[in-house]
Amino acid sequence: MLKYQQIAIDIEKYIEEHALQQRDKLPVLEHLMAQFEVSKSTITKSLDLLERKGVVYQVRGSGIFVRRQSRKGYISLLSNQGFKKDLEEFNVTSEVIELTVCKPTKEAAHNLNIELSSDVYYVKRIRCVNGKTLCLEESYYNKAFITYLNKEIASESIFHYIKEGLGLKVGFSDIYLHVDKLNDEEADYLGLKKGDPKLFMESVFHLTNGQPFDFSKVTYNFEQSQFFLQANSHLL
Amino acid sequence: MLKYQQIAIDIEKYIEEHALQQRDKLPVLEHLMAQFEVSKSTITKSLDLLERKGVVYQVRGSGIFVRRQSRKGYISLLSNQGFKKDLEEFNVTSEVIELTVCKPTKEAAHNLNIELSSDVYYVKRIRCVNGKTLCLEESYYNKAFITYLNKEIASESIFHYIKEGLGLKVGFSDIYLHVDKLNDEEADYLGLKKGDPKLFMESVFHLTNGQPFDFSKVTYNFEQSQFFLQANSHLL
DNA sequence: CAGTGGTCTAGACCACTAA
DNA sequence: TAGTGGTCTAGACCACTGG
């Protein structure tokens, strides 16, 4: 574990354990340097990381302050690892409807940057939270990277398997979303009515080396899903 | 302008002008250090910034590569400055329905961290793109910070006025969203039907010093709006 | 103007990738 | 194993906030 990551974890834990509230002040940089016995840049890197995570904000000439996001049960749009972590206090389950090795659609091939003749795993799942259907998910995994997959794995966390089981490193993702009306099939799977609202999300996940390995299309049940996001203009 | 910001702009411009594509390789760090005559940390800071913006990705032991987001007409969920910038190739206009000084609702007071007896500017607008209604927006601005506002300003970019006219510095924002059905009033404003889908977004914008100054509730026209987001796990 | 965070440097050393 | 990006340091100097 790198120093600046460990320090970030320690500081976040400190905030948590002392139940610090929005706008509470943290010790000054010099104090933190001494406390963790590291240079200024290392502490700064930890704090920048926490700032991006939405845990603190820094004000030049003033101090470092706590930023606490309040609402529970919201899915983070940035976590980039599926939503299992956001909803960990809830009971998330998956029902695998289909799992096959096949050729990608034109759309999937384009997003995965592969030939139409390549092999992909196609996975169709329904994901539930506390017994209620959260979303319908169709995913295409590049078989060159995701060399093996089965129903048992897919009924748990595929991302956990990719990272721990296959030892792959997940890097960045592109996410596109819009709102539309459910068609017959989607409504049926989600237990809603045709024409009801849906949030439709397309994601392309890449490994750290830039190779796309997963193209997913997810239809969310509007009654069960809510999302949050923390943005910070000066970090972009 | 800070060195690392200027360098980031220069590199992004270089990518743009040379029409570099996804996965194209940029010069190595040492080369960039020499070219811009700065230290390694400064170049690194520029590249980290571009990585967060989704412009490049860095692979240890391999190189720095271009990441180009493709789809046009999508609103960035991270830009945090209204969507004028994302849609700048389009004609964005605003129609002010209401603009008054009043007391905040309980909800607005809570989100703005002010008393119920404080004054706020309440602004209700319809925003259009190329003549089509994009969204209905209700905003509460803390009058202690946004000391003056009028219909003329509100029919242009309020954020531009806040930054340039009032000289305030916009920091971070919390964004919450979910999907629902339009009610009568919303449908009427957006030119849709009651029961049609909507994306509903609540945002709290803060100044760099952590003070919330704007609480907004926005209802998007599902036929006119689409969004994107670029996430990066190792940056959080 | 004292206190506090931000930028920048030069350089040592580490960790990963690809040939 | 050469090439390349990442971490970390110690310290100088800058820029902003708030009493």
Side-chain angles (χ1 to χ4, degrees), chain B residues 70-93:
Chain B
S70 35
R71 309 192 187 180
K72 291 284 176 196
Y74 282 66
I75 297 169
S76 168
L77 285 170
L78 277 184
S79 76
N80 177 349
Q81 310 287 322
F83 33 71
K84 259 215 131 151
K85 214 176 146 201
D86 297 309
L87 303 175
E88 60 193 354
E89 357 184 349
F90 304 89
N91 182 26
V92 178
T93 58

PDB file of all heavy atoms in Angstrom, chain B residues 70-93:
ATOM      1  N   SER B  70     -16.154  10.268 -27.821  1.00  0.00           N
ATOM      2  CA  SER B  70     -16.636  10.416 -29.177  1.00  0.00           C
ATOM      3  C   SER B  70     -17.967  11.147 -29.312  1.00  0.00           C
ATOM      4  O   SER B  70     -18.097  12.076 -30.099  1.00  0.00           O
ATOM      5  CB  SER B  70     -16.760   9.029 -29.786  1.00  0.00           C
ATOM      6  OG  SER B  70     -17.157   8.102 -28.792  1.00  0.00           O
ATOM      7  N   ARG B  71     -18.958  10.770 -28.529  1.00  0.00           N
ATOM      8  CA  ARG B  71     -20.321  11.210 -28.820  1.00  0.00           C
ATOM      9  C   ARG B  71     -20.527  12.706 -28.622  1.00  0.00           C
ATOM     10  O   ARG B  71     -20.117  13.276 -27.623  1.00  0.00           O
ATOM     11  CB  ARG B  71     -21.303  10.437 -27.944  1.00  0.00           C
ATOM     12  CG  ARG B  71     -21.074   8.936 -28.015  1.00  0.00           C
ATOM     13  CD  ARG B  71     -22.216   8.195 -27.389  1.00  0.00           C
ATOM     14  NE  ARG B  71     -21.926   6.766 -27.294  1.00  0.00           N
ATOM     15  CZ  ARG B  71     -22.754   5.854 -26.781  1.00  0.00           C
ATOM     16  NH1 ARG B  71     -23.918   6.250 -26.307  1.00  0.00           N
ATOM     17  NH2 ARG B  71     -22.422   4.590 -26.732  1.00  0.00           N
ATOM     18  N   LYS B  72     -21.171  13.320 -29.578  1.00  0.00           N
ATOM     19  CA  LYS B  72     -21.449  14.755 -29.524  1.00  0.00           C
ATOM     20  C   LYS B  72     -22.879  15.004 -29.044  1.00  0.00           C
ATOM     21  O   LYS B  72     -23.754  14.171 -29.222  1.00  0.00           O
ATOM     22  CB  LYS B  72     -21.265  15.387 -30.906  1.00  0.00           C
ATOM     23  CG  LYS B  72     -19.803  15.411 -31.366  1.00  0.00           C
ATOM     24  CD  LYS B  72     -19.009  16.507 -30.648  1.00  0.00           C
ATOM     25  CE  LYS B  72     -17.533  16.445 -31.042  1.00  0.00           C
ATOM     26  NZ  LYS B  72     -16.681  17.205 -30.114  1.00  0.00           N
ATOM     27  N   GLY B  73     -23.092  16.174 -28.468  1.00  0.00           N
ATOM     28  CA  GLY B  73     -24.442  16.538 -28.047  1.00  0.00           C
ATOM     29  C   GLY B  73     -24.831  15.966 -26.693  1.00  0.00           C
ATOM     30  O   GLY B  73     -25.967  16.080 -26.278  1.00  0.00           O
ATOM     31  N   TYR B  74     -23.861  15.338 -26.020  1.00  0.00           N
ATOM     32  CA  TYR B  74     -24.139  14.818 -24.690  1.00  0.00           C
ATOM     33  C   TYR B  74     -23.712  15.862 -23.656  1.00  0.00           C
ATOM     34  O   TYR B  74     -22.704  16.537 -23.823  1.00  0.00           O
ATOM     35  CB  TYR B  74     -23.368  13.514 -24.447  1.00  0.00           C
ATOM     36  CG  TYR B  74     -23.994  12.302 -25.098  1.00  0.00           C
ATOM     37  CD1 TYR B  74     -24.061  12.170 -26.477  1.00  0.00           C
ATOM     38  CD2 TYR B  74     -24.526  11.275 -24.321  1.00  0.00           C
ATOM     39  CE1 TYR B  74     -24.636  11.059 -27.073  1.00  0.00           C
ATOM     40  CE2 TYR B  74     -25.094  10.157 -24.894  1.00  0.00           C
ATOM     41  CZ  TYR B  74     -25.152  10.056 -26.270  1.00  0.00           C
ATOM     42  OH  TYR B  74     -25.721   8.951 -26.840  1.00  0.00           O
ATOM     43  N   ILE B  75     -24.479  15.962 -22.588  1.00  0.00           N
ATOM     44  CA  ILE B  75     -24.182  16.906 -21.517  1.00  0.00           C
ATOM     45  C   ILE B  75     -23.290  16.225 -20.487  1.00  0.00           C
ATOM     46  O   ILE B  75     -23.610  15.148 -20.009  1.00  0.00           O
ATOM     47  CB  ILE B  75     -25.491  17.374 -20.847  1.00  0.00           C
ATOM     48  CG1 ILE B  75     -26.367  18.119 -21.860  1.00  0.00           C
ATOM     49  CG2 ILE B  75     -25.196  18.237 -19.624  1.00  0.00           C
ATOM     50  CD1 ILE B  75     -27.784  18.370 -21.354  1.00  0.00           C
ATOM     51  N   SER B  76     -22.175  16.860 -20.159  1.00  0.00           N
ATOM     52  CA  SER B  76     -21.279  16.276 -19.164  1.00  0.00           C
ATOM     53  C   SER B  76     -21.854  16.446 -17.770  1.00  0.00           C
ATOM     54  O   SER B  76     -22.253  17.538 -17.381  1.00  0.00           O
ATOM     55  CB  SER B  76     -19.911  16.935 -19.223  1.00  0.00           C
ATOM     56  OG  SER B  76     -19.160  16.546 -18.093  1.00  0.00           O
ATOM     57  N   LEU B  77     -21.890  15.361 -17.021  1.00  0.00           N
ATOM     58  CA  LEU B  77     -22.404  15.444 -15.658  1.00  0.00           C
ATOM     59  C   LEU B  77     -21.365  16.003 -14.699  1.00  0.00           C
ATOM     60  O   LEU B  77     -21.665  16.361 -13.575  1.00  0.00           O
ATOM     61  CB  LEU B  77     -22.849  14.065 -15.179  1.00  0.00           C
ATOM     62  CG  LEU B  77     -24.166  13.590 -15.778  1.00  0.00           C
ATOM     63  CD1 LEU B  77     -24.411  12.135 -15.445  1.00  0.00           C
ATOM     64  CD2 LEU B  77     -25.305  14.436 -15.234  1.00  0.00           C
ATOM     65  N   LEU B  78     -20.122  16.107 -15.146  1.00  0.00           N
ATOM     66  CA  LEU B  78     -19.072  16.589 -14.255  1.00  0.00           C
ATOM     67  C   LEU B  78     -18.739  18.058 -14.435  1.00  0.00           C
ATOM     68  O   LEU B  78     -18.112  18.653 -13.584  1.00  0.00           O
ATOM     69  CB  LEU B  78     -17.793  15.774 -14.465  1.00  0.00           C
ATOM     70  CG  LEU B  78     -17.730  14.456 -13.715  1.00  0.00           C
ATOM     71  CD1 LEU B  78     -16.388  13.789 -13.929  1.00  0.00           C
ATOM     72  CD2 LEU B  78     -17.959  14.695 -12.221  1.00  0.00           C
ATOM     73  N   SER B  79     -19.172  18.661 -15.543  1.00  0.00           N
ATOM     74  CA  SER B  79     -18.646  19.978 -15.855  1.00  0.00           C
ATOM     75  C   SER B  79     -19.040  21.007 -14.808  1.00  0.00           C
ATOM     76  O   SER B  79     -18.314  21.945 -14.561  1.00  0.00           O
ATOM     77  CB  SER B  79     -19.104  20.437 -17.215  1.00  0.00           C
ATOM     78  OG  SER B  79     -20.443  20.855 -17.139  1.00  0.00           O
ATOM     79  N   ASN B  80     -20.214  20.812 -14.164  1.00  0.00           N
ATOM     80  CA  ASN B  80     -20.452  21.552 -12.935  1.00  0.00           C
ATOM     81  C   ASN B  80     -20.681  23.043 -13.189  1.00  0.00           C
ATOM     82  O   ASN B  80     -20.641  23.847 -12.302  1.00  0.00           O
ATOM     83  CB  ASN B  80     -19.217  21.315 -12.041  1.00  0.00           C
ATOM     84  CG  ASN B  80     -19.238  22.063 -10.731  1.00  0.00           C
ATOM     85  OD1 ASN B  80     -20.079  22.930 -10.527  1.00  0.00           O
ATOM     86  ND2 ASN B  80     -18.350  21.740  -9.855  1.00  0.00           N
ATOM     87  N   GLN B  81     -20.924  23.423 -14.406  1.00  0.00           N
ATOM     88  CA  GLN B  81     -21.053  24.845 -14.725  1.00  0.00           C
ATOM     89  C   GLN B  81     -22.302  25.076 -15.555  1.00  0.00           C
ATOM     90  O   GLN B  81     -22.313  25.923 -16.428  1.00  0.00           O
ATOM     91  CB  GLN B  81     -19.847  25.305 -15.548  1.00  0.00           C
ATOM     92  CG  GLN B  81     -18.509  24.935 -14.975  1.00  0.00           C
ATOM     93  CD  GLN B  81     -18.156  25.751 -13.752  1.00  0.00           C
ATOM     94  OE1 GLN B  81     -18.457  26.931 -13.703  1.00  0.00           O
ATOM     95  NE2 GLN B  81     -17.553  25.136 -12.769  1.00  0.00           N
ATOM     96  N   GLY B  82     -23.327  24.337 -15.284  1.00  0.00           N
ATOM     97  CA  GLY B  82     -24.409  24.357 -16.248  1.00  0.00           C
ATOM     98  C   GLY B  82     -23.906  23.640 -17.477  1.00  0.00           C
ATOM     99  O   GLY B  82     -22.763  23.206 -17.535  1.00  0.00           O
ATOM    100  N   PHE B  83     -24.771  23.520 -18.485  1.00  0.00           N
ATOM    101  CA  PHE B  83     -24.409  22.718 -19.655  1.00  0.00           C
ATOM    102  C   PHE B  83     -24.077  23.582 -20.861  1.00  0.00           C
ATOM    103  O   PHE B  83     -23.856  23.088 -21.945  1.00  0.00           O
ATOM    104  CB  PHE B  83     -25.554  21.778 -20.028  1.00  0.00           C
ATOM    105  CG  PHE B  83     -26.890  22.359 -19.751  1.00  0.00           C
ATOM    106  CD1 PHE B  83     -27.367  23.401 -20.519  1.00  0.00           C
ATOM    107  CD2 PHE B  83     -27.656  21.886 -18.697  1.00  0.00           C
ATOM    108  CE1 PHE B  83     -28.596  23.970 -20.256  1.00  0.00           C
ATOM    109  CE2 PHE B  83     -28.890  22.454 -18.423  1.00  0.00           C
ATOM    110  CZ  PHE B  83     -29.367  23.486 -19.205  1.00  0.00           C
ATOM    111  N   LYS B  84     -24.004  24.900 -20.646  1.00  0.00           N
ATOM    112  CA  LYS B  84     -23.785  25.775 -21.794  1.00  0.00           C
ATOM    113  C   LYS B  84     -22.551  25.365 -22.584  1.00  0.00           C
ATOM    114  O   LYS B  84     -22.535  25.384 -23.797  1.00  0.00           O
ATOM    115  CB  LYS B  84     -23.606  27.228 -21.319  1.00  0.00           C
ATOM    116  CG  LYS B  84     -24.860  28.046 -21.511  1.00  0.00           C
ATOM    117  CD  LYS B  84     -24.534  29.482 -21.886  1.00  0.00           C
ATOM    118  CE  LYS B  84     -25.347  29.918 -23.076  1.00  0.00           C
ATOM    119  NZ  LYS B  84     -25.611  31.352 -23.078  1.00  0.00           N
ATOM    120  N   LYS B  85     -21.513  24.942 -21.850  1.00  0.00           N
ATOM    121  CA  LYS B  85     -20.249  24.620 -22.499  1.00  0.00           C
ATOM    122  C   LYS B  85     -20.369  23.352 -23.356  1.00  0.00           C
ATOM    123  O   LYS B  85     -19.853  23.279 -24.464  1.00  0.00           O
ATOM    124  CB  LYS B  85     -19.166  24.427 -21.436  1.00  0.00           C
ATOM    125  CG  LYS B  85     -17.783  24.883 -21.882  1.00  0.00           C
ATOM    126  CD  LYS B  85     -16.785  24.742 -20.743  1.00  0.00           C
ATOM    127  CE  LYS B  85     -15.422  24.374 -21.291  1.00  0.00           C
ATOM    128  NZ  LYS B  85     -14.584  23.763 -20.248  1.00  0.00           N
ATOM    129  N   ASP B  86     -21.079  22.338 -22.823  1.00  0.00           N
ATOM    130  CA  ASP B  86     -21.219  21.088 -23.560  1.00  0.00           C
ATOM    131  C   ASP B  86     -21.986  21.279 -24.852  1.00  0.00           C
ATOM    132  O   ASP B  86     -21.771  20.582 -25.821  1.00  0.00           O
ATOM    133  CB  ASP B  86     -21.956  20.047 -22.709  1.00  0.00           C
ATOM    134  CG  ASP B  86     -21.172  19.698 -21.468  1.00  0.00           C
ATOM    135  OD1 ASP B  86     -19.990  19.375 -21.612  1.00  0.00           O
ATOM    136  OD2 ASP B  86     -21.741  19.785 -20.374  1.00  0.00           O
ATOM    137  N   LEU B  87     -22.927  22.226 -24.804  1.00  0.00           N
ATOM    138  CA  LEU B  87     -23.802  22.400 -25.950  1.00  0.00           C
ATOM    139  C   LEU B  87     -23.460  23.694 -26.679  1.00  0.00           C
ATOM    140  O   LEU B  87     -24.322  24.322 -27.270  1.00  0.00           O
ATOM    141  CB  LEU B  87     -25.262  22.415 -25.470  1.00  0.00           C
ATOM    142  CG  LEU B  87     -25.706  21.170 -24.697  1.00  0.00           C
ATOM    143  CD1 LEU B  87     -27.112  21.341 -24.169  1.00  0.00           C
ATOM    144  CD2 LEU B  87     -25.605  19.931 -25.560  1.00  0.00           C
ATOM    145  N   GLU B  88     -22.196  24.079 -26.649  1.00  0.00           N
ATOM    146  CA  GLU B  88     -21.872  25.407 -27.164  1.00  0.00           C
ATOM    147  C   GLU B  88     -22.038  25.495 -28.682  1.00  0.00           C
ATOM    148  O   GLU B  88     -22.205  26.580 -29.221  1.00  0.00           O
ATOM    149  CB  GLU B  88     -20.469  25.851 -26.717  1.00  0.00           C
ATOM    150  CG  GLU B  88     -19.326  24.996 -27.150  1.00  0.00           C
ATOM    151  CD  GLU B  88     -18.052  25.388 -26.367  1.00  0.00           C
ATOM    152  OE1 GLU B  88     -18.085  26.373 -25.609  1.00  0.00           O
ATOM    153  OE2 GLU B  88     -17.047  24.696 -26.538  1.00  0.00           O
ATOM    154  N   GLU B  89     -22.010  24.329 -29.348  1.00  0.00           N
ATOM    155  CA  GLU B  89     -22.243  24.354 -30.794  1.00  0.00           C
ATOM    156  C   GLU B  89     -23.734  24.507 -31.080  1.00  0.00           C
ATOM    157  O   GLU B  89     -24.130  24.722 -32.211  1.00  0.00           O
ATOM    158  CB  GLU B  89     -21.716  23.084 -31.459  1.00  0.00           C
ATOM    159  CG  GLU B  89     -21.033  22.185 -30.478  1.00  0.00           C
ATOM    160  CD  GLU B  89     -20.400  20.954 -31.096  1.00  0.00           C
ATOM    161  OE1 GLU B  89     -20.654  20.650 -32.273  1.00  0.00           O
ATOM    162  OE2 GLU B  89     -19.660  20.272 -30.380  1.00  0.00           O
ATOM    163  N   PHE B  90     -24.534  24.387 -30.024  1.00  0.00           N
ATOM    164  CA  PHE B  90     -25.968  24.530 -30.200  1.00  0.00           C
ATOM    165  C   PHE B  90     -26.415  25.887 -29.680  1.00  0.00           C
ATOM    166  O   PHE B  90     -25.668  26.573 -28.996  1.00  0.00           O
ATOM    167  CB  PHE B  90     -26.708  23.405 -29.477  1.00  0.00           C
ATOM    168  CG  PHE B  90     -26.273  22.042 -29.907  1.00  0.00           C
ATOM    169  CD1 PHE B  90     -25.224  21.394 -29.271  1.00  0.00           C
ATOM    170  CD2 PHE B  90     -26.887  21.417 -30.979  1.00  0.00           C
ATOM    171  CE1 PHE B  90     -24.798  20.138 -29.683  1.00  0.00           C
ATOM    172  CE2 PHE B  90     -26.474  20.166 -31.398  1.00  0.00           C
ATOM    173  CZ  PHE B  90     -25.427  19.527 -30.748  1.00  0.00           C
ATOM    174  N   ASN B  91     -27.631  26.241 -29.997  1.00  0.00           N
ATOM    175  CA  ASN B  91     -28.162  27.535 -29.602  1.00  0.00           C
ATOM    176  C   ASN B  91     -28.984  27.375 -28.322  1.00  0.00           C
ATOM    177  O   ASN B  91     -30.126  26.952 -28.359  1.00  0.00           O
ATOM    178  CB  ASN B  91     -29.013  28.086 -30.758  1.00  0.00           C
ATOM    179  CG  ASN B  91     -29.559  29.445 -30.438  1.00  0.00           C
ATOM    180  OD1 ASN B  91     -28.966  30.180 -29.633  1.00  0.00           O
ATOM    181  ND2 ASN B  91     -30.682  29.773 -31.041  1.00  0.00           N
ATOM    182  N   VAL B  92     -28.373  27.709 -27.192  1.00  0.00           N
ATOM    183  CA  VAL B  92     -29.041  27.558 -25.908  1.00  0.00           C
ATOM    184  C   VAL B  92     -29.685  28.882 -25.501  1.00  0.00           C
ATOM    185  O   VAL B  92     -29.019  29.908 -25.459  1.00  0.00           O
ATOM    186  CB  VAL B  92     -28.054  27.125 -24.802  1.00  0.00           C
ATOM    187  CG1 VAL B  92     -28.757  27.030 -23.457  1.00  0.00           C
ATOM    188  CG2 VAL B  92     -27.405  25.799 -25.150  1.00  0.00           C
ATOM    189  N   THR B  93     -30.986  28.851 -25.218  1.00  0.00           N
ATOM    190  CA  THR B  93     -31.676  30.055 -24.758  1.00  0.00           C
ATOM    191  C   THR B  93     -32.456  29.735 -23.488  1.00  0.00           C
ATOM    192  O   THR B  93     -32.708  28.567 -23.181  1.00  0.00           O
ATOM    193  CB  THR B  93     -32.666  30.563 -25.820  1.00  0.00           C
ATOM    194  OG1 THR B  93     -33.611  29.515 -26.109  1.00  0.00           O
ATOM    195  CG2 THR B  93     -31.949  30.952 -27.100  1.00  0.00           C
TER     196      THR B  93
END
